[in-house]
Amino acid sequence: MPQPQIGQPFLADFGILELNDRPLARQVAAALGRLLNEGLEGDVLVFLSGAAEIRHALEACEPLALSADLLLLPLHGDLPPADQDRAVRRADRRKVIFSTNVAETSVTIDGVVAVIDGGLARTAGHSPWSGLPTLKVAKISQASATQRAGRAGRTRPGRCIRLYTRHDFESRPPFDLPEVRRLDLTEPVLELKAAGITDLATFGWLEAPAPAALASAELLLTRLGALERQGTSSPGPSSQGSLTPLGRRMLTFPVHPRQARMLVEAEARGVAAEGCILAALVGEREVFSDLRSRGLAGRGGSGRQELSGPSDLLARMDAIQEAFKGGFNLERARRYGLEPGAALAVERARQQLSQRIHPTAAPRPSGDRLEAALLMTLLAGYPDRVARRRVLPDAPRSAPKSRELIFAFGGTAQLDDSSIVLEADTLVAIDVEERADGRGGLPRVRLASAFEPEWLIDLFTDALTETSEVRWNGAQERVEQVDRLAYGNLTLDESRATPDPEKASALLLERAKAAGFEKSGPDEALSRWLERVAFVARAAPEVGAQVPDGATLEAGLRVLCEGRSSFAELREASMLEAMKRRFTQEQLRRIDALAPERLTLPGGRSAPVEYPADQPPFIASRLQDFFGMARGPTVAGGRVPVVIHLLAPNKRAVQVTQDLAGFWARHYPALRKELGRKYPRHAWPEDPLNAPPPHRPR
């Protein structure tokens, strides 16, 4: 076990396993009782993570204090100075001091002979979504645990009881992560830029921050307008990006740059007073004691709970204003669902910020313009948290809108059930929390605010991108040009225009080839004609009808696509006619004669002829259509007999043959009996060669 650097030896015991499933306050009381039973002579220092944990532990230890005549004293940063001094100075009886980690290194308390260590502390960090400071309860490092234990051995041998196991201790990191590695760097980067430090990567950091953290801070400051926007972006921290006048004004406010940007915007829009409240609300903890109380103030103090509203922050601002109307009133604050301590903290922050606000010439808006100015103030502080609501295409119009949000710069989140922003299609996420329950899922947007997309043009002009894209419209089968104005992935305006002819022709050719236009086209007329040409080339090579190869077809298609932008125009242009122009009139006449499209049967019915590759041509028609026909039809000037698919009334083939005469003699008599039973209403003559076929009008 490591020894403390200062003072006397100490003995550190680890918590008993069977105690670890008890509430922490009861574990503290059990450890204190153990020390008293062992003959404790001196004061005890108990390390806990916060004021609430201290209060619970004090209550749990009160019976022991009465029986052993102990003085129980809290010690944390929110106490008045007099109460803090009382915990530190000597007393006329044994003390048990319940302290946060303020007593770990900052305060020396004489007379402490035993330490009870809960092993937890509130660690300063920042929210990756908002960038604002946070305090999270986390396990302390081994070094901090050793430092705490050493408080029991500063003037004499001491004792430490840790309320966690040895395995837990050994699995903890050796040292705490430096603050520069866990805190948001946006504010210090802004200050360094103001001091003329341009190359942050080579700045003489005592402990260098992660390059990604520096790059993230500079990117946010650029989006906020505090740094000049660069022409190109790089993966690492920039050595450029000088401070803008807006950035210098933001430096005058002792708050995070997000809040400072909100205050500057509020000044410019004539809503500075409300801007101070909104900035204070962003920086303080939740003011509603119960999230079901949201919106109790209403817009204008109606006293009714509103089911939907434009902003969760405006609802809280309304409640704060009502509670402090004419001076703070505890009962009125509770009536509006506020937690009094949090509301007072917001009011103190508001007063401090209001002292730094500059009067401006901007007139104060009223009505809808006032609400719009307040919503724009919130939007100004969160340019990277712009999102749109996911559209549910199959949802009925009366159904609630989706709570899933898609961010303009990537990522998705879920609007929390406590939010009142239910109708807006575009929102800015102000407070987002990751799911920490081990179930995964999307981050939760606790606080959101609506905005109009055109406000982005006013606030973040330099961040907008204009693109012109020539693309294929599959539904209309045409090339179109789409001009888009976007903020990240959020489209603000989109219009259609006539595409560049050269680009349109190139894309049309690409899509026409993918659709097989050079071979068939949607009506397949070209494909059937090419099959006929291929048959003539095989059966009558003297005609000289060469089938166009792939290169010829593509060349013809390329010519057809010039000056056109849709399949409809290609169909009108006719690829078939373009290919026919490559043949002589005599060749076309011979092709039509040798490979006719259709053959006329005795009853007048016309049957299309199929010319599959590497197979004889064939026709398909009902058996009765061939009555009176002794021999089957031929093509290629009588050189090639056509295969006949003889169909029953159900249009299924009962025989496939090239020898029609043999069919009548050998197979028809048996089929006649079978088909006559199945289809008695149809004619099945005994002598099909002399029977008239059913009349079919042309």
Side-chain angles (χ1 to χ4, degrees):
M1 177 63 60
Q3 298 297 313
Q5 297 179 355
I6 304 174
Q8 303 296 317
F10 64 91
L11 176 64
D13 290 343
F14 290 91
I16 303 172
L17 286 176
E18 55 264 25
L19 297 181
N20 289 342
D21 59 351
R22 298 185 185 182
L24 181 60
R26 292 183 59 188
Q27 292 187 50
V28 171
L32 180 58
R34 178 177 170 183
L35 291 172
L36 293 174
N37 291 336
E38 294 175 359
L40 174 70
E41 295 181 2
D43 298 337
V44 180
L45 179 59
V46 182
F47 282 102
L48 296 166
S49 57
E53 291 79 5
I54 288 175
R55 183 172 64 255
H56 296 152
L58 278 167
E59 295 171 355
C61 293
E62 282 180 356
L64 286 173
L66 291 175
S67 61
D69 192 26
L70 301 176
L71 182 61
L72 306 183
L73 297 170
L75 178 60
H76 54 82
D78 291 338
L79 288 174
D83 290 344
Q84 294 185 34
D85 291 342
R86 184 181 175 213
V88 173
R89 66 173 177 258
R90 288 190 173 277
D92 56 357
R93 50 183 166 150
R94 289 181 298 176
K95 297 183 298 183
V96 182
I97 303 106
F98 298 83
S99 175
T100 59
N101 56 359
V102 68
E104 187 176 311
T105 57
S106 306
V107 179
T108 299
I109 305 175
D110 292 333
V112 172
V113 298
V115 165
I116 300 174
D117 180 14
L120 303 173
R122 274 185 164 76
T123 304
H126 76 283
S127 166
W129 287 92
S130 68
L132 297 174
T134 61
L135 283 175
K136 293 184 178 180
V137 176
K139 293 181 179 182
I140 61 174
S141 66
Q142 293 181 12
S144 291
T146 302
Q147 184 74 24
R148 288 183 175 187
R151 288 286 155 174
R154 298 187 66 84
T155 58
R156 52 183 283 189
R159 178 76 181 283
C160 175
I161 297 180
R162 291 177 175 144
L163 303 180
Y164 46 95
T165 65
R166 182 180 297 277
H167 174 74
D168 188 352
F169 173 83
E170 292 174 349
S171 64
R172 298 183 181 207
F175 300 97
D176 292 324
L177 195 66
E179 287 192 354
V180 75
R181 291 274 180 172
R182 53 187 165 86
L183 297 183
D184 176 54
L185 300 179
T186 310
E187 193 168 356
V189 166
L190 181 61
E191 293 173 352
L192 288 171
K193 291 286 186 179
I197 308 298
T198 57
D199 193 347
L200 298 179
T202 61
F203 178 66
W205 301 91
L206 182 63
E207 176 99 22
L214 285 176
S216 177
E218 289 192 76
L219 177 60
L220 176 57
L221 289 171
T222 301
R223 286 174 173 165
L224 290 171
L227 298 182
E228 295 286 354
R229 186 174 292 275
Q230 300 301 303
T232 58
S233 59
S234 59
S238 170
S239 60
Q240 314 260 337
S242 57
L243 205 63
T244 63
L246 174 60
R248 295 195 179 278
R249 177 68 184 117
M250 289 166 56
L251 273 171
T252 63
F253 296 103
V255 289
H256 189 276
R258 289 189 189 273
Q259 296 162 282
R261 180 66 182 88
M262 290 168 54
L263 291 167
V264 174
E265 193 66 29
E267 284 180 337
R269 299 195 176 276
V271 290
E274 290 87 349
C276 291
I277 301 177
L278 293 175
L281 282 167
V282 166
E284 297 295 331
R285 65 184 189 273
E286 175 60 63
V287 295
F288 280 146
S289 57
D290 183 349
L291 289 182
R292 289 175 297 180
S293 305
R294 65 191 186 277
L296 283 175
R299 300 297 297 153
S302 65
R304 294 184 298 105
Q305 181 174 356
E306 55 181 16
L307 299 178
S308 178
S311 171
D312 295 310
L313 265 294
L314 293 192
R316 286 156 174 78
M317 184 191 74
D318 290 341
I320 290 285
Q321 288 178 320
E322 292 296 327
F324 283 87
K325 189 176 291 184
F328 181 72
N329 183 289
L330 182 62
E331 183 59 33
R332 191 161 58 237
R334 288 174 175 162
R335 189 189 320 144
Y336 283 97
L338 296 172
E339 199 280 311
L344 287 170
V346 169
E347 174 60 15
R348 286 194 297 269
R350 183 204 66 79
Q351 292 175 357
Q352 294 172 356
L353 294 175
S354 63
Q355 296 173 4
R356 296 178 179 265
I357 287 289
H358 290 172
T360 64
R364 178 176 174 77
S366 59
D368 292 342
R369 291 186 177 182
L370 173 61
E371 182 173 271
L374 296 174
L375 295 175
M376 291 180 77
T377 294
L378 290 168
L379 175 61
Y382 294 86
D384 53 333
R385 299 296 174 230
V386 167
R388 63 176 173 83
R389 197 184 299 270
R390 185 182 291 279
V391 178
L392 300 177
D394 300 329
R397 184 171 298 181
S398 59
K401 292 187 176 181
S402 168
R403 286 186 174 268
E404 186 174 350
L405 307 179
I406 304 171
F407 288 100
F409 295 104
T412 56
Q414 189 83 6
L415 189 65
D416 194 75
D417 291 341
S418 64
S419 176
I420 65 171
V421 188
L422 305 181
E423 300 298 327
D425 293 324
T426 50
L427 303 85
V428 56
I430 296 172
D431 183 29
V432 187
E433 63 180 2
E434 297 281 2
R435 296 294 295 270
D437 54 9
R439 294 179 298 172
L442 296 176
R444 291 277 173 172
V445 177
R446 291 183 57 255
L447 301 178
S449 186
F451 71 90
E452 296 296 332
E454 58 266 24
W455 296 349
L456 296 171
I457 302 175
D458 186 11
L459 289 173
F460 311 118
T461 305
D462 293 343
L464 302 178
T465 56
E466 293 184 84
T467 59
S468 183
E469 177 189 11
V470 176
R471 70 182 187 186
W472 179 252
N473 186 324
Q476 298 182 7
E477 295 185 322
R478 64 178 299 108
V479 180
E480 61 185 13
Q481 178 175 310
V482 180
D483 297 329
R484 182 184 293 110
L485 179 66
Y487 182 78
N489 297 325
L490 180 64
T491 299
L492 305 181
D493 183 56
E494 187 174 275
S495 60
R496 304 296 190 273
T498 302
D500 175 76
E502 186 175 341
K503 293 181 179 179
S505 297
L507 182 55
L508 179 62
L509 174 62
E510 177 187 326
R511 292 293 177 168
K513 286 167 60 180
F517 237 100
E518 75 275 22
K519 297 179 181 178
S520 63
D523 58 2
E524 296 188 356
L526 175 61
S527 177
R528 295 178 63 84
W529 186 77
L530 291 176
E531 289 173 353
R532 292 167 60 206
V533 173
F535 170 75
V536 171
R538 295 192 303 270
E542 70 276 7
V543 176
Q546 296 296 321
V547 180
D549 58 13
T552 302
L553 291 170
E554 184 173 331
L557 182 61
R558 180 177 288 105
V559 171
L560 283 184
C561 289
E562 291 178 358
R564 296 182 171 88
S565 60
S566 69
F567 280 178
E569 292 173 312
L570 279 185
R571 294 186 188 102
E572 292 178 0
S574 178
M575 183 70 174
L576 172 60
E577 295 304 319
M579 289 296 103
K580 283 184 176 181
R581 285 196 291 270
R582 307 181 76 88
F583 293 77
T584 67
Q585 289 298 317
E586 177 61 18
Q587 286 176 319
L588 294 175
R589 186 187 67 77
R590 294 292 305 277
I591 290 171
D592 287 341
L594 297 173
E597 287 188 76
R598 308 179 73 87
L599 290 175
T600 302
L601 303 178
R605 183 180 179 85
S606 173
V609 186
E610 303 292 339
Y611 295 89
D614 301 326
Q615 294 181 35
F618 70 89
I619 61 174
S621 191
R622 290 193 295 183
L623 188 152
Q624 287 91 342
D625 294 330
F626 296 91
F627 288 169
M629 193 177 228
R631 298 179 59 188
T634 60
V635 291
R639 290 181 241 179
V640 179
V642 175
V643 175
I644 304 171
H645 292 238
L646 299 166
L647 308 182
N650 62 359
K651 296 184 179 181
R652 293 184 179 180
V654 295
Q655 187 73 23
V656 177
T657 182
Q658 285 181 307
D659 182 10
L660 185 60
F663 168 74
W664 294 134
R666 292 189 297 272
H667 302 289
Y668 176 73
L671 282 173
R672 173 179 173 272
K673 296 179 181 179
E674 179 183 348
L675 295 175
R677 288 194 300 270
K678 287 185 177 180
Y679 307 102
R681 299 179 61 182
H682 293 263
W684 305 103
E686 293 184 7
D687 184 7
L689 291 175
N690 295 309
H695 178 69
R696 299 284 180 182
R698 291 182 180 273

